[in-house]
Amino acid sequence: CVYPSFVDIAGLGVEGTNIGVTSVAGGFPAAQTYLEVKMLEVAMAVENGADEIDVVISIGEFLNGEYDLMGNEIETLRKEIGDEITLKVILESGALKTAENIRAASVLAMYSGADFIKTSTGKEYPGASLEAAYVMCLCIKEYYEKTGRKVGFKPAGGVSTTDEALAYYTIVKHVLGEEWLDNEYFRIGASRLANNLLSDILGEETKFF
């Protein structure tokens, strides 16, 4: 997962493997730029070979109650990258604070074209929380029951231990069921987690990543 200007370099590095390239884009991590800039950035990332795009909602618009503007922006970026590219929408749940806000942002993002909803950037605000995860998974379930479209869930920001990862795994399994428990619909974004998981599995300190 890289910034847009590094997509082509990353693509060369993983060429011939089954590793995909994701690009954060659209003014990541604050999303505080012009829509035209966001459109160009996501389009260039895809043109350079990105398989997936991560964008952050316009938190200011959402908190101001400008839901149409926020949703229309996601729809615009969805159209800009096309249907073949996975779009992950980051809600920055730590900035939204309440369950009501997290629910509303989740529903808006999914109806605007998100393939994944993701808790946090891990940059400026509190990261993932079990409370936010539970609300988001309930929304995904409700959305699936109404539309038949499965949306993925990704907790990110501060998930670093095996126990923490298992807690999120348990929420997904309990709320959404076994069919969500693969990397097509459930991922954990945490740079420190992989080595800790491997260390616990192998029973010794491991620094593979």
Side-chain angles (χ1 to χ4, degrees), residues 1 9 14 19 30 44 47 58 81 101 103 105 108 113 120 133 138 143 161 166 169 181 186 199 201:
C1 182
I9 298 170
V14 300
I19 300 172
M44 290 180 70
E47 184 178 347
S58 291
I81 67 173
N101 280 344
R103 173 181 168 76
L108 271 169
S120 318
L138 285 174
Y143 177 79
T161 70
L166 283 171
Y169 178 95
L181 295 177
F186 174 48
S199 296
I201 290 169

Side-chain angles (χ1 to χ4, degrees), residues 5 13 28 81 86 99 128 196:
S5 57
F28 181 91
I81 67 173
T86 297
N196 291 336

Side-chain angles (χ1 to χ4, degrees), residues 100-201:
E100 290 80 7
N101 280 344
I102 293 168
R103 173 181 168 76
S106 297
V107 171
L108 271 169
M110 289 187 290
Y111 275 100
S112 298
D115 297 307
F116 263 81
I117 52 175
K118 182 175 171 180
T119 56
S120 318
T121 61
K123 300 291 186 184
E124 299 183 40
Y125 299 96
S129 70
L130 297 177
E131 293 82 2
Y134 189 71
V135 172
M136 291 167 71
C137 286
L138 285 174
C139 291
I140 290 171
K141 180 179 181 181
E142 181 181 313
Y143 177 79
Y144 175 66
E145 290 172 347
K146 289 184 176 181
T147 68
R149 188 171 81 93
K150 293 172 72 174
V151 171
F153 170 65
K154 185 172 181 178
V159 185
S160 60
T161 70
T162 299
D163 286 344
E164 289 169 342
L166 283 171
Y168 289 102
Y169 178 95
T170 300
I171 288 174
V172 172
K173 182 177 181 179
H174 173 73
V175 177
L176 295 170
E178 295 278 351
E179 60 186 299
W180 255 265
L181 295 177
D182 59 36
N183 65 2
E184 187 175 0
Y185 296 111
F186 174 48
R187 305 177 193 168
I188 298 175
S191 55
R192 294 172 291 165
L193 177 62
N195 284 333
N196 291 336
L197 281 174
L198 282 175
S199 296
D200 287 342
I201 290 169

Side-chain angles (χ1 to χ4, degrees), residues 35-66:
L35 177 56
E36 292 81 2
V37 173
K38 296 180 183 183
M39 293 167 64
L40 181 60
E41 195 171 55
V42 300
M44 290 180 70
V46 171
E47 184 178 347
N48 286 337
D51 304 294
E52 303 188 357
I53 295 292
D54 286 20
V55 300
V56 185
I57 68 168
S58 291
I59 297 168
E61 291 177 354
F62 178 85
L63 294 178
N64 282 337
E66 298 173 307

